[in-house]
Short mmCIF file of all heavy atoms in Angstrom, two decimals:
data_model
loop_
_atom_site.label_atom_id
_atom_site.label_comp_id
_atom_site.label_asym_id
_atom_site.label_seq_id
_atom_site.Cartn_x
_atom_site.Cartn_y
_atom_site.Cartn_z
N GLN P 12 -22.95 -90.72 137.58
CA GLN P 12 -23.13 -92.02 138.21
C GLN P 12 -24.57 -92.24 138.67
O GLN P 12 -24.95 -93.31 139.07
CB GLN P 12 -22.22 -92.13 139.45
CG GLN P 12 -20.76 -92.28 139.12
CD GLN P 12 -20.43 -93.68 138.64
OE1 GLN P 12 -21.33 -94.46 138.33
NE2 GLN P 12 -19.15 -94.01 138.57
N SER P 80 -19.10 -102.69 146.07
CA SER P 80 -19.25 -101.95 144.82
C SER P 80 -20.02 -102.80 143.82
O SER P 80 -20.26 -103.99 144.04
CB SER P 80 -17.86 -101.63 144.25
OG SER P 80 -17.32 -102.80 143.67
N ALA P 84 -20.28 -106.72 143.70
CA ALA P 84 -21.59 -107.31 143.94
C ALA P 84 -21.98 -108.26 142.83
O ALA P 84 -22.52 -109.34 143.06
CB ALA P 84 -22.64 -106.20 144.08
N LYS P 87 -20.07 -111.34 143.19
CA LYS P 87 -20.58 -112.11 144.32
C LYS P 87 -21.89 -112.79 143.97
O LYS P 87 -22.16 -113.93 144.32
CB LYS P 87 -20.76 -111.18 145.51
CG LYS P 87 -21.03 -111.90 146.79
CD LYS P 87 -20.20 -111.40 147.93
CE LYS P 87 -18.72 -111.68 147.75
NZ LYS P 87 -17.91 -111.08 148.82
N HIS P 89 -22.89 -113.69 141.08
CA HIS P 89 -22.63 -114.85 140.24
C HIS P 89 -22.14 -116.04 141.08
O HIS P 89 -22.61 -117.17 140.92
CB HIS P 89 -21.56 -114.48 139.19
CG HIS P 89 -21.30 -115.57 138.23
ND1 HIS P 89 -22.21 -115.94 137.27
CD2 HIS P 89 -20.22 -116.39 138.08
CE1 HIS P 89 -21.71 -116.94 136.57
NE2 HIS P 89 -20.51 -117.23 137.04
N PHE P 101 -32.73 -120.99 148.36
CA PHE P 101 -33.73 -120.23 147.61
C PHE P 101 -35.13 -120.73 147.93
O PHE P 101 -36.04 -119.94 148.22
CB PHE P 101 -33.44 -120.35 146.12
CG PHE P 101 -34.39 -119.58 145.26
CD1 PHE P 101 -34.24 -118.21 145.11
CD2 PHE P 101 -35.43 -120.23 144.62
CE1 PHE P 101 -35.12 -117.50 144.32
CE2 PHE P 101 -36.31 -119.51 143.83
CZ PHE P 101 -36.15 -118.15 143.68
N ILE P 107 -40.55 -119.20 153.23
CA ILE P 107 -40.73 -118.27 154.35
C ILE P 107 -41.45 -117.01 153.89
O ILE P 107 -42.38 -116.52 154.54
CB ILE P 107 -39.36 -117.91 154.95
CG1 ILE P 107 -38.76 -119.14 155.63
CG2 ILE P 107 -39.50 -116.78 155.95
CD1 ILE P 107 -37.29 -119.00 155.93
N GLY P 112 -45.11 -112.98 154.23
CA GLY P 112 -45.42 -111.71 153.60
C GLY P 112 -46.65 -111.68 152.73
O GLY P 112 -47.28 -110.65 152.57
N GLU P 122 -61.29 -113.13 142.32
CA GLU P 122 -62.40 -112.16 142.34
C GLU P 122 -63.37 -112.53 141.22
O GLU P 122 -62.95 -113.00 140.15
CB GLU P 122 -61.84 -110.76 142.18
CG GLU P 122 -62.19 -110.19 140.88
CD GLU P 122 -61.05 -109.68 140.06
OE1 GLU P 122 -60.12 -110.45 139.70
OE2 GLU P 122 -61.14 -108.52 139.74
N ASP P 132 -70.07 -106.55 127.68
CA ASP P 132 -69.84 -107.63 126.72
C ASP P 132 -71.15 -108.05 126.07
O ASP P 132 -71.24 -108.20 124.85
CB ASP P 132 -69.21 -108.83 127.43
CG ASP P 132 -67.69 -108.69 127.50
OD1 ASP P 132 -67.14 -107.98 126.64
OD2 ASP P 132 -67.09 -109.27 128.40
N ASN P 133 -72.15 -108.22 126.91
CA ASN P 133 -73.45 -108.66 126.40
C ASN P 133 -74.02 -107.65 125.41
O ASN P 133 -74.55 -108.01 124.36
CB ASN P 133 -74.43 -108.84 127.56
CG ASN P 133 -74.13 -110.09 128.33
OD1 ASN P 133 -73.45 -111.00 127.83
ND2 ASN P 133 -74.60 -110.17 129.56
N ALA P 155 -85.55 -103.83 114.06
CA ALA P 155 -86.30 -103.62 115.29
C ALA P 155 -86.61 -102.13 115.45
O ALA P 155 -87.72 -101.75 115.82
CB ALA P 155 -85.49 -104.11 116.49
N ILE P 234 -58.67 -101.16 131.60
CA ILE P 234 -58.53 -100.47 130.31
C ILE P 234 -59.51 -101.06 129.31
O ILE P 234 -60.17 -100.35 128.56
CB ILE P 234 -57.09 -100.60 129.78
CG1 ILE P 234 -56.12 -99.99 130.77
CG2 ILE P 234 -56.96 -99.95 128.42
CD1 ILE P 234 -54.67 -100.26 130.46
N LYS P 239 -64.50 -100.91 126.07
CA LYS P 239 -65.84 -101.44 125.79
C LYS P 239 -66.91 -100.40 126.09
O LYS P 239 -67.90 -100.29 125.37
CB LYS P 239 -66.07 -102.71 126.60
CG LYS P 239 -65.30 -103.88 126.02
CD LYS P 239 -65.46 -105.12 126.82
CE LYS P 239 -64.70 -106.27 126.14
NZ LYS P 239 -64.69 -107.48 126.91
N GLN P 240 -66.66 -99.66 127.14
CA GLN P 240 -67.64 -98.65 127.51
C GLN P 240 -67.76 -97.59 126.42
O GLN P 240 -68.86 -97.23 126.02
CB GLN P 240 -67.21 -98.01 128.82
CG GLN P 240 -68.33 -97.26 129.50
CD GLN P 240 -68.06 -97.13 130.99
OE1 GLN P 240 -66.92 -97.29 131.44
NE2 GLN P 240 -69.09 -96.86 131.76
N SER P 241 -66.62 -97.13 125.97
CA SER P 241 -66.70 -96.07 124.96
C SER P 241 -67.28 -96.61 123.66
O SER P 241 -67.98 -95.90 122.95
CB SER P 241 -65.33 -95.44 124.73
OG SER P 241 -64.41 -96.42 124.37
N ALA P 245 -70.54 -95.20 121.78
CA ALA P 245 -70.57 -94.86 120.35
C ALA P 245 -71.76 -95.52 119.67
O ALA P 245 -72.46 -94.89 118.87
CB ALA P 245 -69.26 -95.29 119.69
N LEU P 249 -74.91 -93.72 117.93
CA LEU P 249 -75.28 -94.06 116.54
C LEU P 249 -76.74 -94.46 116.47
O LEU P 249 -77.49 -94.01 115.60
CB LEU P 249 -74.38 -95.18 116.04
CG LEU P 249 -74.67 -95.66 114.62
CD1 LEU P 249 -74.33 -94.57 113.61
CD2 LEU P 249 -73.90 -96.91 114.30
N ASN P 281 -113.15 -76.29 120.28
CA ASN P 281 -112.68 -77.36 121.14
C ASN P 281 -111.85 -78.35 120.33
O ASN P 281 -112.27 -79.48 120.06
CB ASN P 281 -113.88 -78.06 121.79
CG ASN P 281 -113.43 -79.05 122.84
OD1 ASN P 281 -112.36 -78.90 123.43
ND2 ASN P 281 -114.22 -80.08 123.06
N ASN P 305 -99.53 -85.27 118.04
CA ASN P 305 -98.47 -84.27 117.92
C ASN P 305 -98.94 -83.08 117.11
O ASN P 305 -98.72 -81.94 117.47
CB ASN P 305 -97.24 -84.89 117.23
CG ASN P 305 -96.45 -85.75 118.17
OD1 ASN P 305 -96.55 -85.62 119.38
ND2 ASN P 305 -95.67 -86.65 117.60
N ASN P 309 -99.12 -79.37 118.45
CA ASN P 309 -98.38 -78.27 117.83
C ASN P 309 -99.32 -77.20 117.31
O ASN P 309 -99.08 -76.00 117.48
CB ASN P 309 -97.51 -78.81 116.68
CG ASN P 309 -96.27 -79.51 117.18
OD1 ASN P 309 -95.67 -79.10 118.17
ND2 ASN P 309 -95.90 -80.59 116.51
N MET P 330 -114.23 -71.54 105.35
CA MET P 330 -114.93 -71.42 104.08
C MET P 330 -115.15 -72.79 103.46
O MET P 330 -116.25 -73.12 103.02
CB MET P 330 -114.06 -70.57 103.14
CG MET P 330 -114.80 -69.99 101.98
SD MET P 330 -115.72 -68.59 102.57
CE MET P 330 -114.38 -67.47 102.90
N GLY P 350 -115.09 -82.99 110.09
CA GLY P 350 -115.98 -82.40 111.09
C GLY P 350 -117.42 -82.54 110.65
O GLY P 350 -118.31 -82.05 111.31
N ALA P 360 -118.72 -68.55 119.70
CA ALA P 360 -117.89 -67.85 118.73
C ALA P 360 -117.52 -66.48 119.28
O ALA P 360 -118.20 -65.50 119.05
CB ALA P 360 -118.62 -67.72 117.41
N LEU P 362 -114.88 -64.97 118.52
CA LEU P 362 -114.02 -64.24 117.61
C LEU P 362 -114.71 -64.05 116.28
O LEU P 362 -115.19 -64.97 115.66
CB LEU P 362 -112.72 -65.05 117.41
CG LEU P 362 -111.71 -64.42 116.48
CD1 LEU P 362 -111.20 -63.11 117.07
CD2 LEU P 362 -110.57 -65.37 116.23
N LEU P 364 -114.02 -62.90 112.65
CA LEU P 364 -112.90 -62.62 111.78
C LEU P 364 -113.39 -61.88 110.55
O LEU P 364 -114.18 -62.40 109.78
CB LEU P 364 -112.23 -63.91 111.35
CG LEU P 364 -111.49 -64.62 112.46
CD1 LEU P 364 -111.08 -65.98 111.96
CD2 LEU P 364 -110.30 -63.82 112.90
N SER P 394 -111.11 -84.81 125.51
CA SER P 394 -111.55 -85.51 124.32
C SER P 394 -113.02 -85.87 124.40
O SER P 394 -113.39 -87.01 124.51
CB SER P 394 -110.73 -86.77 124.13
OG SER P 394 -109.39 -86.42 124.05
N THR P 396 -115.10 -84.42 122.24
CA THR P 396 -115.65 -84.19 120.91
C THR P 396 -116.12 -85.51 120.32
O THR P 396 -115.37 -86.47 120.27
CB THR P 396 -114.59 -83.60 119.98
OG1 THR P 396 -113.88 -82.60 120.70
CG2 THR P 396 -115.21 -83.04 118.75
#
Side-chain angles (χ1 to χ4, degrees):
Chain P
Q12 288 284 14
S80 75
K87 191 134 294 175
H89 184 70
F101 181 79
I107 292 165
E122 110 234 60
D132 274 336
N133 286 341
I234 300 170
K239 285 178 178 174
Q240 197 157 19
S241 56
L249 179 68
N281 188 27
N305 282 339
N309 283 323
M330 199 78 70
L362 181 64
L364 290 170
S394 302
T396 317

